[in-house]
Amino acid sequence: MREGTAMRRYRVRSVFGRLAVAVLALSFAGVPAVAAADARGSTSETPLGPKSGPALQAFLDRPDHPPVFESRGDITAQVVVHNNWIRAVGDEEFREAYPNGWDDKINNAIERAADEMYVQFGIDFRAYSIQTWDSYPDGWRACNGSMMPELQAEVGLGGTPDTVAGYTTQPFYPYAAGCRSGNYILVTRQYADNTAENKSRWVVTQHEMSHVYHAPDRYNQPDSAQHPDDVMEDAYNHYDYWCTTPPWNDWGIVNSNRAQFD
């Protein structure tokens, strides 16, 4: 049983996307470069994970566990819990790729992404609802350039939800695994192998949700060589760890914003 008090499925039709398709078909002008957000930045994009060889095997070999449902008492209770109620959506490509249990895959990604954030910050991601969503056009999309505005236009934050998480299998320009804008995130499929994909889905969700709590990207920045590897530097090899090293202190940034949805 999912945890949201108003858990339900319903369809969000892609009106925005169908109106925009003619413009998008004519130009790649909406394709952005990878955005580097500051501590209060509004956009970001997650790079793709390792695809083969020792790098991929190292990612798969790093410790993992099934998702923990904190609200069921499956983990030591925090004195103060900061809920982030998420309206999650899976588009038609995601549902077609996973016809049996697509909504469970989304719910598991959200729950696993929250596990260490709950332990360290008292942040608990809770699925308020899991909906169907029709994204359009199909094929390659610019994550923040065209698909994110469509998601924001068609899936609202009215009422209880604090954030929106969209899941798709459409590939993103410029070769991104996910993106964030404001209190919205998008995550796409990277791997045909289910083990790699299930792990990637929650890892990217954790990275993008860390942006919602204002931690910035650290990869490809001028000081990235000095920045300690963590969720914000290399989400695939250093998930579940946010650095406390000055002057970056990604842990402190997330911690200072943990109550923003209370």
Side-chain angles (χ1 to χ4, degrees), residues 1 8 15 17 33 115 173 179 183 229:
M1 186 69 179
R8 60 194 180 277
V15 177
D115 288 349
Y173 286 116
C179 61
N183 291 338
D229 290 332

Side-chain angles (χ1 to χ4, degrees), residues 10-19 89-92 95 131-136 150-151 153-155:
Y10 55 92
R11 180 174 298 277
V12 181
R13 295 197 178 275
S14 179
V15 177
F16 177 91
R18 286 167 174 78
L19 290 174
V89 296
D91 72 0
E92 70 276 26
R95 302 193 306 273
Q131 310 167 202
T132 63
W133 173 48
D134 290 348
S135 60
Y136 191 83
E150 179 187 352
L151 179 67
E154 295 172 358
V155 183

Side-chain angles (χ1 to χ4, degrees), residues 175-257:
Y175 304 106
C179 61
R180 169 253 179 165
S181 180
N183 291 338
Y184 285 72
I185 72 167
L186 274 166
V187 179
T188 193
R189 182 178 64 180
Q190 299 190 65
Y191 301 97
D193 175 77
N194 281 333
T195 300
E197 180 52 33
N198 289 339
K199 193 173 189 180
S200 168
R201 191 179 301 116
W202 78 255
V203 166
V204 176
T205 298
Q206 183 187 74
H207 175 90
E208 293 300 344
M209 279 297 180
S210 296
H211 285 310
V212 171
Y213 292 90
H214 306 295
D217 281 327
R218 301 299 189 181
Y219 60 89
N220 291 336
Q221 300 302 306
D223 59 353
S224 60
Q226 291 76 44
H227 179 268
D229 290 332
D230 69 352
V231 172
M232 311 316 299
E233 172 80 28
D234 182 355
Y236 302 99
N237 293 308
H238 299 278
Y239 47 78
D240 285 346
Y241 169 71
W242 294 262
C243 85
T244 58
T245 306
W248 305 283
N249 193 11
D250 296 331
W251 189 95
I253 294 171
V254 174
N255 192 58
S256 66
N257 290 288

Side-chain angles (χ1 to χ4, degrees), residues 1-4 7 65-78 81 83 85 103-116 118-119 123-128 130:
M1 186 69 179
R2 297 183 190 85
E3 301 303 306
M7 183 62 63
H65 58 76
V68 174
F69 290 78
E70 288 82 7
S71 60
R72 295 178 183 172
D74 292 342
I75 194 169
T76 302
Q78 289 281 336
V81 176
N83 287 324
W85 289 99
D103 48 347
D104 288 329
K105 287 186 176 294
I106 291 175
N107 198 48
N108 287 341
I110 289 170
E111 289 291 342
R112 177 62 184 89
D115 288 349
E116 195 64 23
Y118 182 85
V119 171
I123 295 170
D124 189 13
F125 299 154
R126 304 281 297 276
Y128 174 76
I130 299 180

